Amino acid sequence: MTVTDLVSYEDALASYDPVMGLEVHVELGTKTKMFCGCSTELKQDANSQTCPVCLGLPGALPVVNEIGVESAIKIGLALNCEIAEWCRFARKNYFYPDMPKNFQTSQYDEPIAYNGYLDVQLEDGEIFRVQIERAHMEEDTGKSTHVGGATGRIQGASHSLLDYNRAGIPLIEIVTKPIEGAGARAPEVAKAYVAELRELIKALGVSEARMEMGQMRCDVNLSLRPNGTETFGTRSETKNVNSLRSVERAARFEIQRHAAVLSSGGTIVQETRHFHEEDGSTTAGRIKDNAEDYRYFPEPDLVPVAPAREWVEELRRGLPELPRLRRKRLKEEWGVSEHDMQSILNAGAVDLIVATTDAGAPSDQARKWWMGELARNANETGRGLDALPITPVQVARVAELVTSGDLNDKLARQVIEGVLAGEGDPDTVVEKRGLKVVSDEGALSTAVDEAIAANAAIADKIRGGKVAAAGALVGAVMKATRGQADAARVRELILEKLGVEG
Ligand SMILES: [Zn+2]
């Protein structure tokens, strides 16, 4: 099906009600793998971070990573889940070349966390509660690279390479209950949910949750049912969507595609789908297996996980302030609108602004620079704000120089430009580029006298009461001082010298 065969979004919603399920995989930031002591550092030669356990050699015995379990419990608690008093790992049997054991160690009917919810905030401020089915522990697979073909896919490749460095890296899979009642806002809910979950995971410190690096990826399950009916339709499962925007687009596309198939009398195939970034479409993957095809059974080589209640309660007490509540608090402290707070969040600037105010800057200055000059630079250079070569401490120093009157906004922008260009700290840039506001009254007075002399006609107008004309003289002085004068003080001096009341 091509994009043009789709039913329009509005028409799709006029007849059908979307039901979504979101499965998010989070790669934990543990130092070692889930069931062995191998390093999780990925910037290593292929297959250098492997051992008999993660290579699945006969007789090798796995051991559970305690930090992996602790991270799973933290995530479960933050998602308002119940934490199992006793649970086991299970073998999920299927063959995959990058999974050397021929089974994935996962959890099946005994997840470590279950029955929770996450409140997410939509763009208009409305809160939507997403019910959580479960969060369970499992391991990642290795990685295949197909060589010799034009596309990097297996089709046309002459051979494939396998790297098991990633095999056994701990994953937490978080599964929602069917999300109903979102209607036309289903794609927006999906995006907001993944965004909120990402913030939560980062706040817990269990993963950096960088979607562009595959540390967090989302499967979007979607089905339609005729409006007014209860029974779920057949679902498709769009795999490994790895940006917030793509999650929204994938859900939207599938709503339109399902509607096109159903309204022309066709049936939806239960299958996995691939999402394509270029045009926002999805294409068929493989026919989806049912759970029974995996022949799940309890993992006999691992002891059950039975976290002590005291430990769980200790972890609960140590939970950080939840991101949504923290944002609400900051929004009030900063005195910004819902819309501005949303922009700050979308720009990934919340933590940077907090760090800048922690370094001593007033919050309005911190916001102004991160959301203005720096956001513009990040945009132009295609980087995230946190990837810019400037620190919150440096931004705070610029703010301090502005507050003390040593810099005006124009000069401050040049200082930031210098820091970004690698010229050094703000003070070094000020020094090197000679960027200080001219506060020497003698020098200013001379510059004002010169401007008056060179613009006699304008000066006469001002004397005659046309105070508004002073702007032209201020401009002349600013130009003469290369923008390094305090414009308000210049204006005062001009009016003083011409004997006019401001
Ligand atoms: Zn290993």
Side-chain angles (χ1 to χ4, degrees):
M1 169 167 301
T2 61
V3 179
T4 47
D5 292 327
L6 300 177
V7 165
S8 83
Y9 192 70
E10 291 68 29
D11 287 350
L13 269 298
S15 307
Y16 299 102
D17 176 28
V19 177
M20 269 187 319
L22 301 169
E23 296 176 14
V24 172
H25 284 89
V26 177
E27 209 176 83
L28 295 179
T30 54
K31 288 202 169 62
T32 56
K33 293 185 179 178
M34 193 63 198
F35 304 111
C36 63
C38 288
S39 166
T40 52
E41 178 72 54
L42 280 179
K43 292 174 203 143
Q44 302 287 341
D45 292 342
N47 295 306
S48 59
Q49 308 296 315
T50 56
C51 73
V53 173
C54 54
L55 287 176
L57 300 186
L61 287 174
V63 177
V64 174
N65 182 331
E66 186 184 353
I67 303 295
V69 176
E70 183 183 280
S71 304
I73 296 174
K74 283 182 182 170
I75 291 172
L77 290 170
L79 291 172
N80 306 290
C81 287
E82 295 171 49
I83 304 300
E85 298 200 10
W86 192 94
C87 65
R88 280 182 297 190
F89 286 96
R91 292 186 177 187
K92 183 181 185 183
N93 295 281
Y94 63 106
F95 172 76
Y96 229 65
D98 51 19
M99 198 177 61
K101 294 184 293 189
N102 285 342
F103 63 83
Q104 181 185 28
T105 307
S106 180
Q107 292 195 289
Y108 181 45
D109 49 359
E110 299 164 309
I112 187 150
Y114 51 93
N115 253 347
Y117 63 85
L118 180 63
D119 285 334
V120 306
Q121 189 165 358
L122 304 183
E123 276 177 25
D124 64 357
E126 190 194 316
I127 303 292
F128 191 98
R129 177 161 292 186
V130 176
Q131 303 287 341
I132 306 290
E133 172 86 35
R134 57 191 279 151
H136 70 250
M137 301 177 280
E138 59 182 38
E139 59 179 338
D140 213 341
T141 59
K143 209 172 179 173
S144 321
T145 310
H146 306 298
V147 186
T151 58
R153 295 189 189 165
I154 197 163
Q155 292 85 357
S158 60
H159 60 288
S160 297
L161 299 172
L162 291 166
D163 176 8
Y164 292 116
N165 282 353
R166 200 178 65 183
I169 286 191
L171 294 179
I172 304 297
E173 179 174 338
I174 301 153
V175 183
T176 67
K177 291 180 182 170
I179 300 171
E180 303 178 65
R185 304 188 78 174
E188 189 191 343
V189 168
K191 180 184 170 189
Y193 168 75
V194 178
E196 189 65 30
L197 191 55
R198 185 179 66 173
E199 292 298 309
L200 185 67
I201 300 287
K202 282 184 350 197
L204 291 170
V206 296
S207 168
E208 290 180 16
R210 288 182 180 270
M211 296 188 81
E212 72 282 9
M213 290 173 70
Q215 292 170 343
M216 182 167 165
R217 40 204 200 247
C218 179
D219 299 344
V220 180
N221 296 339
L222 191 128
S223 66
L224 295 184
R225 58 187 174 194
N227 278 333
T229 63
E230 290 295 318
T231 316
F232 293 167
T234 305
R235 70 171 194 273
S236 60
E237 187 175 329
T238 306
K239 305 289 284 183
N240 294 328
V241 186
N242 66 356
S243 78
L244 296 180
R245 180 164 172 264
S246 300
V247 167
E248 186 172 28
R249 291 171 86 203
R252 201 178 166 90
F253 182 89
E254 282 296 284
I255 288 173
Q256 292 177 261
R257 185 183 69 85
H258 280 226
V261 172
L262 294 172
S263 61
S264 65
T267 49
I268 296 293
V269 182
Q270 187 176 329
E271 63 187 357
T272 64
R273 312 243 342 147
H274 303 296
F275 178 73
H276 304 284
E277 203 70 54
E278 317 83 67
D279 61 357
S281 70
T282 68
T283 52
R286 62 184 162 89
I287 301 295
K288 182 67 179 169
D289 299 315
N290 284 315
E292 51 267 30
D293 298 330
Y294 289 120
R295 305 294 302 158
Y296 278 102
F297 65 83
E299 167 60 63
D301 287 342
L302 287 167
V303 292
V305 175
R309 293 298 97 178
E310 302 76 45
W311 185 34
V312 173
E313 288 317 308
E314 189 190 322
L315 293 175
R316 192 193 302 277
R317 284 192 298 275
L319 287 180
E321 184 183 17
L322 294 178
R324 189 174 62 80
L325 301 178
R326 175 171 179 255
R327 284 201 304 275
K328 189 165 172 249
R329 174 175 62 79
L330 290 173
K331 176 176 163 283
E332 279 159 19
E333 282 177 20
W334 295 346
V336 295
S337 69
E338 186 62 50
H339 177 265
D340 286 350
M341 195 65 205
Q342 196 66 42
S343 309
I344 291 170
L345 180 69
N346 292 344
V350 177
D351 292 338
L352 293 165
I353 293 171
V354 169
T356 306
T357 55
D358 285 351
S363 71
D364 56 340
Q365 283 276 332
R367 282 202 316 280
K368 174 175 155 177
W369 296 114
W370 284 110
M371 294 304 291
E373 198 60 18
L374 292 166
R376 197 160 32 250
N377 186 284
N379 231 336
E380 280 165 17
T381 55
R383 294 181 281 194
L385 274 181
D386 59 352
L388 292 179
I390 189 167
T391 64
V393 171
Q394 290 171 327
V395 176
R397 177 61 184 152
V398 171
E400 196 186 331
L401 291 169
V402 172
T403 312
S404 65
D406 287 315
L407 292 179
N408 57 26
D409 282 2
K410 188 176 166 211
L411 295 174
R413 275 196 290 279
Q414 294 179 43
V415 172
I416 285 175
E417 185 191 296
V419 175
L420 291 174
E423 292 170 26
D425 273 339
D427 290 291
T428 314
V429 177
V430 167
E431 190 69 35
K432 276 192 195 160
R433 294 195 178 192
L435 297 175
K436 271 211 169 169
V437 166
V438 177
S439 50
D440 175 349
E441 284 280 319
L444 263 192
S445 177
T446 310
V448 169
D449 288 341
E450 283 167 8
I452 289 172
N455 298 279
I458 297 175
D460 281 341
K461 276 189 193 164
I462 300 170
R463 280 195 197 90
K466 276 204 161 185
V467 177
L473 289 188
V474 173
V477 175
M478 294 306 283
K479 198 173 168 195
T481 58
R482 292 187 297 130
Q484 287 172 235
D486 174 355
R489 179 66 192 134
V490 171
R491 188 183 152 86
E492 268 174 30
L493 275 177
I494 292 168
L495 298 181
E496 222 174 273
K497 284 174 189 285
L498 297 175
V500 186
E501 287 281 310

